[in-house]
Every structure is written in C-alpha cells, then in structure tokens.
Amino acid sequence: MGSPKQPSQSGNTWADDTNINDVYIDDLDENMTESETAIMEESTESVVKRIPFPIGEYNRLARVGKGTVKGMIYVTDYYGKKVPGKGTRLYLNPATSYSDQWYRESYIGGQKMEKADSRLFNYLRFTASDNEGNFAFYGVPSGSYYLIGTVKCGTECGYDTPKSIRIAKRISIQGNQVLEADLGRTVD
C-alpha cells in the first residue's frame, strides 16, 4: 500500500511538480557523456551498493509541518567572493539510514552509488533559489534532513568549463521554527 504524497504550495503533490529525472539522487555527474556513463555501468565493482530501502523508517516520518527552512546557496571563490546558485533546484531529504549512507559514502566519501530506490522521491521536498541564490522551504515537519543543492559555476569560479558543484549538509528543525540554513562551500 503506497504512502500519501505531500502536497506542495500549488496543491499538487511533490511528485506532480517535479520530474524524478531532475533530481540526481543516483549520484551521476550531469555533465557525463554517454560513453562515460556506459563505462561506469560496466564497472559496477566501483559502485557502492545501497542498503535496502527502509520503508518502515520512511512510513514513520511526519508528512506535514509548520517549520520554515530558508537561506542562500552559494560557492565561495578563491578570493572569498560568494557566487550565488541562481535558479537552482534544492531539496530536503529526510535523515534516515538510507540517506545517511548516501551522505557518508557519496557526498563525504566521493564514491559513486547505485541508483536510488524510486520510492525515495515521495519523501523529498523541493524548492528553487532566486537569482540571488535565496531559497525557502515552507511547511517542513519536525525532524532532521539533508539540505542539498547544486551551484553551476564557470569562469567566475576560476574554471575553464562550467562545473556543477553539489553542496549538502544535515539540518534539524522543530515545530514552527524558522531555520536560517545557508548552503555554501569553497570551490576546489
């Protein structure tokens, strides 16, 4: 039996508002060519196997809330200047054993992971930043989440070709709290 979907501010479910292909929870670099992707798929020994999807953990998560998470997404260049993530998609991923594994193995550890279970999509919350990199999530249930987004940065960050820089951090929110949570990192 499926779980109820979280309605967005437009009255649609998150799944109605967002295409699963827009969320790269499968940890593939969106700039990869087809041949690079094929090589990765053939060498599965370098891909970390995900733990089984813990449906019980997800079923216990609150689906409605009164919290607000807001901030700015950006990267800091070599000179300390903030380069905002303009019009980028951000998402909140509930902290569970499944997302903890992704954070530890992929985000921190730099490992490629198997494609995520499609059921995860039903538990993510989405928003987009404005042209200054400002974002907000409304109606967030109490709990812990991974706040995740990507900044596209090219010559303004010192790169010859544009790169997508993923940024993630764990946050916690309670009740009707308004949590200020900037999402930033320094370019490599």
Side-chain angles (χ1 to χ4, degrees):
M1 187 160 140
S3 50
K5 293 181 181 176
Q6 176 66 37
S8 72
Q9 294 160 355
S10 65
N12 294 332
T13 64
W14 293 110
D16 292 337
D17 286 348
T18 308
N19 183 324
I20 186 75
N21 296 323
D22 292 340
V23 181
Y24 43 101
I25 52 180
D26 58 349
D27 295 297
L28 287 179
D29 182 341
E30 65 187 31
N31 295 321
M32 282 184 138
T33 65
E34 286 184 37
S35 61
E36 288 173 318
T37 304
I39 291 167
M40 271 193 60
E41 290 170 352
E42 289 172 13
S43 62
T44 54
E45 67 276 355
S46 65
V47 176
V48 174
K49 183 172 178 56
R50 288 185 185 264
I51 64 171
F53 189 77
I55 193 66
E57 278 184 70
Y58 283 94
N59 284 340
R60 287 190 294 273
L61 295 172
R63 302 294 283 180
V64 295
K66 296 181 179 181
T68 300
V69 177
K70 65 181 187 174
M72 178 182 183
I73 182 171
Y74 61 89
V75 293
T76 305
D77 71 10
Y78 296 111
Y79 304 103
K81 179 182 172 221
K82 286 183 181 177
V83 178
K86 300 177 181 182
T88 191
R89 186 171 293 247
L90 294 100
Y91 58 104
L92 286 176
N93 185 350
T96 64
S97 59
Y98 199 72
S99 58
D100 289 345
Q101 182 199 26
W102 167 82
Y103 187 77
R104 185 179 59 255
E105 301 282 343
S106 180
Y107 185 71
I108 299 296
Q111 301 293 314
K112 297 290 181 191
M113 294 191 72
E114 288 179 337
K115 187 173 175 111
D117 189 296
S118 62
R119 292 174 288 183
L120 175 62
F121 184 74
N122 294 316
Y123 300 92
L124 303 176
R125 293 177 168 269
F126 300 93
T127 195
S129 62
D130 65 17
N131 283 333
E132 285 79 46
N134 298 305
F135 65 87
F137 292 90
Y138 300 101
V140 179
S142 295
S144 293
Y145 298 87
Y146 289 102
L147 173 60
I148 306 163
T150 302
V151 175
K152 291 188 180 177
C153 201
T155 55
E156 68 274 27
C157 289
Y159 299 125
D160 293 336
T161 57
K163 295 187 184 247
S164 293
I165 301 169
R166 181 182 288 178
I167 311 168
K169 75 176 183 180
R170 188 173 171 137
I171 61 166
S172 292
I173 188 166
Q174 292 297 316
N176 63 354
Q177 178 182 8
V178 176
L179 179 65
E180 297 277 345
D182 283 355
L183 193 57
R185 70 182 266 195
T186 304
V187 295
D188 297 329

